[in-house]
Amino acid sequence: VRAFAHVPHLVVDSGDPIFLVSPGGKSLDQSLKIADGLRQIDVELFVITDEPDEFSEVRVLEIPSIGEAWSSFLTALPTQWLCWAVATAKGYDVVNKDGRHSNPEAYEMAHRRWVRD
């Protein structure tokens, strides 16, 4: 299991709220890289994790340790649904965000860092 982020589909601007589900385990290192890149884009980052001490300078929603293999089902799916519901209520097209990047250079820099491993 790698860090749960739909990187190719991650279309964000500075100030957007982002929820990163990051359980302890093999994916934690990748999650830390993703969190660092998101801070460079200057989003409002919330990390859902059972390893709160690993994340500094972001808001952490601490969850009980349930094991990396099950965390997606118990945390990411409800969070993804919530994000979809909020985006739909605000009238965002969650499939196509052409031209939405106000700072494409920062996004591309973070994206390259995420996918190079």
Side-chain angles (χ1 to χ4, degrees):
V1 176
R2 299 219 22 137
F4 184 81
H6 293 284
V7 177
H9 306 291
L10 189 61
V11 181
V12 298
D13 284 330
S14 176
D16 284 351
I18 301 294
F19 291 85
L20 175 64
V21 176
S22 178
K26 294 178 182 179
S27 66
L28 185 61
D29 287 340
Q30 187 69 12
S31 293
L32 291 167
K33 289 178 186 177
I34 290 171
D36 183 51
L38 289 169
R39 280 195 300 269
Q40 291 175 25
I41 298 172
D42 197 29
V43 300
E44 186 175 357
L45 181 59
F46 301 87
V47 178
I48 301 170
T49 185
D50 58 355
E51 296 284 344
D53 295 338
E54 295 293 328
F55 295 90
S56 60
E57 302 176 23
V58 298
R59 292 181 181 158
V60 174
L61 304 171
E62 186 174 356
I63 59 171
S65 184
I66 54 176
E68 187 175 30
W70 293 103
S71 66
S72 302
F73 296 107
L74 299 176
T75 58
L77 293 176
T79 303
Q80 196 170 25
W81 180 87
L82 174 64
C83 292
W84 173 84
V86 170
T88 300
K90 289 187 170 214
Y92 294 147
D93 179 354
V94 297
V95 176
N96 185 5
K97 292 279 191 179
D98 290 339
R100 181 131 153 67
H101 296 298
S102 61
N103 188 355
E105 296 82 15
Y107 173 80
E108 287 303 320
M109 181 178 66
H111 184 261
R112 282 192 299 274
R113 182 172 180 193
W114 295 334
V115 298
R116 75 172 175 213
D117 291 338

